[in-house]
Amino acid sequence: MSEQAIQKPILSIANLAQMNLGFFGLQFSFGLQQSNMGPIYNYLGAEESTLPLLFLAGPVTGLIVQPIVGAMSDRTLSKYGRRTPYFLIGALLCSICLLLMPLSAALWMAVSLLWILDAANNITMEPYRAYVSDRLVTQQQPAGFLMQASFTGLAQTLAYLAPVIFVALGMNKDAVDANGIPHIAHAAFYTGAFLSITTIAWSVFRIRELPLSEAQIKHIRANPLTPKATILEIWNAIRDMPLTMRQLVLMMLFQWYGMFCYWQYIVNALARGVFDTTDAASQGYRDAALLNGQIGGFYNFVAFLAGFALIPFSRRFGPKIMHVVSIGFAGIAMLTLPYIEKSSLLFIPMVGIGLGWASIMGNPYVIVARSIPPERTGVYMGIFNMMIVIPMLIQTVTLPLFYDSILGGNPQNVIMLAGSFLLIAAIFMTRVREQA
C-alpha cells in the first residue's frame, strides 16, 4: 500500500500548531510527574534508595500498552478515525488521575495512581506519534515531530514552573496538607487535569484525521482487530524491523537510562548540593523542589525554542548529526551539575540539557518515520517506544543494586552517571545509518 494512496495536504504553520496542541496537555502531565512524583513519594515516607522501584509504572505500562495500542489503532475503524478514540479515552483517564494524585494519603495510593496515569498517557501517546506520520507528507514530518518537541518543552516548562507561579500569585510555599503534600502541588495537578482533556479535544476535532482510502479499509477488514491478530502483528513487526530501527537500540538504551536517572534524583541532588540537606520534611528540601521547578522550567523553555530552531538545521545536516551534537551537550551539562553550589549558576548547564531534550523528543522520531512502512506506522511507533521503556525498566531494577555500593548513596553521583550515559548514547548514534 503506497503513501500516495492518501492525498495529504500541506498544512500551514497554524494548523501544524493546532494539530500538536494536544501534545501540550499530554506533556504537561509528564512534566508534573518528572518534577513532583519524587518529592511526593518522599513526603509520603519513601526511602531514597528505593525511588527507582517506585517509578516502575512508566516503563512497564509503556512496554505493555504502547505496542498493543499501536497495533490496535492501525486496525481500528470508527467514524472518528483510527487514532482519535484512543486520544480521548487516554486523556479522560489521565485527567481523573491528575485530580486524585495530590490527595494521596499513603505511598501505596500515589504509586497505584501513577500506574493508572502512565497507562492513560501511553494510550494517548503512541497514536499521537502515528497521527503525525499519518497526517503529514514526508517533507513536513520533521516540522511535525520537532513541533511536538517544542510543545513538549513549553508544556514541561509550565509544569515545572507551576508551583513557582502559584507562589508568585500569593500561595504559601510552606503550606502543606495533612499528608505533607504542599498546596501548590495540589494546584499544579488540578491545572494539569484541565489541560489534559481540553487540549487533546481541541487538536483532534480541529485537525481531524484524514479519511482512509478504499484500499486501506479493505486491508484493515482483511486483518480484523482481535487479541491474536494484535499479538501476531507486534511479533511480525519486530521480526521485520527495519535496519535503521535496530541500529538505534543501543543509543536509546543509554539515552533513556540516563534521562530516567536525572528525573528521579535531581531534586535530591539539589537538596544535598545546594541546600545541604537530606531531610525530605525540611524547608531546604522544599526549596530544592522549587529550585528544580525553576531550572527544569528553564531547560524545557530552551527545548521549546530549540524545537523550532532545530528544524532548519535538521533539514540541512540531517537529524542524526543534530541528535549527536544535542545529546552530547546535554551529557556534558549533567556532568557539571554536582560541582555547582550557587543556584543562579545552575541555569547555564540547563541550556545544554534543554537542547538535548528537544532533540530527544523530535529527531529520533524523524529517523524512524522515514524507515517504516506507512501502513504499519502505529505498531512501529509502539515498538519504538519499547526502546524507551525497556531502558527505563532496566534502570529501575538495576540502579538500587549499586546505588549505595558504587554510587556511595549520593544522588549527585547518579546525575553524573546520567551525563556519562548520554555521552555514550551520542557515540552510538554516530553508527546509525539514516534512510533518506
Side-chain angles (χ1 to χ4, degrees):
M1 189 186 308
S2 67
E3 187 176 0
Q4 287 71 30
I6 309 170
Q7 295 300 317
K8 299 181 181 182
I10 300 293
L11 297 186
S12 66
I13 294 296
N15 282 338
L16 278 175
Q18 289 192 88
M19 176 183 182
N20 284 296
L21 182 63
F23 222 71
F24 176 89
L26 179 64
Q27 292 298 330
F28 193 95
S29 171
F30 276 116
L32 288 176
Q33 292 181 49
Q34 292 168 14
S35 59
N36 288 278
M37 288 313 303
I40 285 175
Y41 285 156
N42 284 319
Y43 297 141
L44 296 174
E47 294 291 331
E48 192 175 79
S49 62
T50 64
L51 279 179
L53 295 175
L54 300 177
F55 281 90
L56 273 172
V60 172
T61 56
L63 181 64
I64 297 171
V65 171
Q66 286 219 22
I68 292 175
V69 169
M72 290 174 64
S73 70
D74 280 342
R75 298 176 181 219
T76 294
L77 289 174
S78 80
K79 65 179 181 179
Y80 300 109
R82 287 189 293 178
R83 321 295 183 187
T84 300
Y86 301 96
F87 296 161
L88 297 177
I89 292 170
L92 181 60
L93 287 173
C94 178
S95 292
I96 293 170
C97 291
L98 289 172
L99 285 172
L100 295 176
M101 183 64 76
L103 302 176
S104 298
L107 187 60
W108 67 265
M109 182 176 176
V111 172
S112 299
L113 282 170
L114 185 62
W115 278 84
I116 302 172
L117 176 61
D118 273 324
N121 279 331
N122 280 301
I123 289 171
T124 305
M125 172 75 80
E126 191 287 325
Y128 218 124
R129 297 288 192 188
Y131 166 57
V132 171
S133 187
D134 291 344
R135 197 65 170 75
L136 299 179
V137 294
T138 301
Q139 60 266 36
Q140 273 203 308
Q141 287 178 359
F145 285 116
L146 287 169
M147 189 169 286
Q148 280 193 354
S150 286
F151 273 107
T152 296
L154 179 61
Q156 295 191 4
T157 296
L158 295 177
Y160 272 83
L161 288 178
V164 180
I165 292 170
F166 286 119
V167 169
L169 291 175
M171 293 186 69
N172 182 355
K173 71 181 178 65
D174 295 316
V176 299
D177 63 16
N179 304 307
I181 299 175
H183 291 168
I184 53 177
H186 283 253
F189 275 87
Y190 299 154
T191 302
F194 172 78
L195 291 174
S196 177
I197 188 66
T198 54
T199 59
I200 290 285
W202 180 276
S203 283
V204 299
F205 290 118
R206 291 290 293 179
I207 309 296
R208 294 181 181 271
E209 293 185 60
L210 293 172
L212 298 176
S213 67
E214 289 299 323
Q216 287 175 307
I217 294 172
K218 183 178 180 180
H219 177 76
I220 291 171
R221 286 176 174 165
N223 297 274
L225 184 62
T226 64
K228 181 179 178 180
T230 299
I231 294 171
L232 185 61
E233 172 64 9
I234 295 170
W235 173 256
N236 288 338
I238 292 173
R239 182 196 62 198
D240 301 334
M241 188 186 303
L243 177 62
T244 299
M245 281 188 69
R246 295 180 186 275
Q247 291 175 332
L248 286 167
V249 169
L250 287 175
M251 184 281 291
M252 296 288 283
L253 171 63
F254 285 95
Q255 172 180 280
W256 286 102
Y257 195 113
M259 290 305 300
F260 223 38
C261 284
Y262 176 85
W263 291 326
Q264 289 172 358
Y265 281 94
I266 184 60
V267 173
N268 297 65
L270 293 174
R272 183 172 298 205
V274 179
F275 298 98
D276 194 26
T277 183
T278 59
D279 181 7
S282 67
Q283 180 178 339
Y285 187 89
R286 291 193 295 273
D287 287 342
L290 279 175
L291 176 59
N292 181 52
Q294 294 168 358
I295 64 174
F298 181 73
Y299 90 67
N300 277 289
F301 182 70
V302 171
F304 166 63
L305 298 177
F308 289 104
L310 283 172
I311 293 173
F313 287 101
S314 291
R315 284 176 182 161
R316 180 172 180 180
F317 300 106
K320 169 185 167 179
I321 295 300
M322 293 313 303
H323 195 55
V324 170
V325 172
S326 299
I327 61 174
F329 275 121
I332 293 169
M334 287 184 188
L335 288 174
T336 68
L337 289 179
Y339 298 100
I340 300 175
E341 296 180 354
K342 190 174 181 180
S343 59
S344 59
L345 295 178
L346 289 167
F347 291 89
I348 297 174
M350 290 301 120
V351 174
I353 294 175
L355 178 62
W357 183 228
S359 184
I360 286 170
M361 295 304 292
N363 283 316
Y365 292 95
V366 177
I367 294 170
V368 170
R370 290 175 176 175
S371 70
I372 57 179
E375 68 271 15
R376 302 176 86 178
T377 298
V379 68
Y380 272 121
M381 286 297 179
I383 291 170
F384 188 56
N385 187 71
M386 293 170 67
M387 298 183 196
I388 299 173
V389 298
I390 290 176
M392 291 180 174
L393 182 59
I394 293 172
Q395 188 266 359
T396 60
V397 173
T398 59
L399 190 66
L401 300 178
F402 60 88
Y403 178 74
D404 290 317
S405 59
I406 296 178
L407 300 176
N410 188 340
Q412 293 173 301
N413 290 335
V414 180
I415 302 303
M416 295 191 71
L417 177 70
S420 300
F421 275 22
L422 284 181
L423 291 177
I424 294 172
I427 293 171
F428 278 115
M429 188 66 195
T430 63
R431 302 173 61 183
V432 175
R433 284 183 289 175
E434 295 179 81
Q435 183 170 320

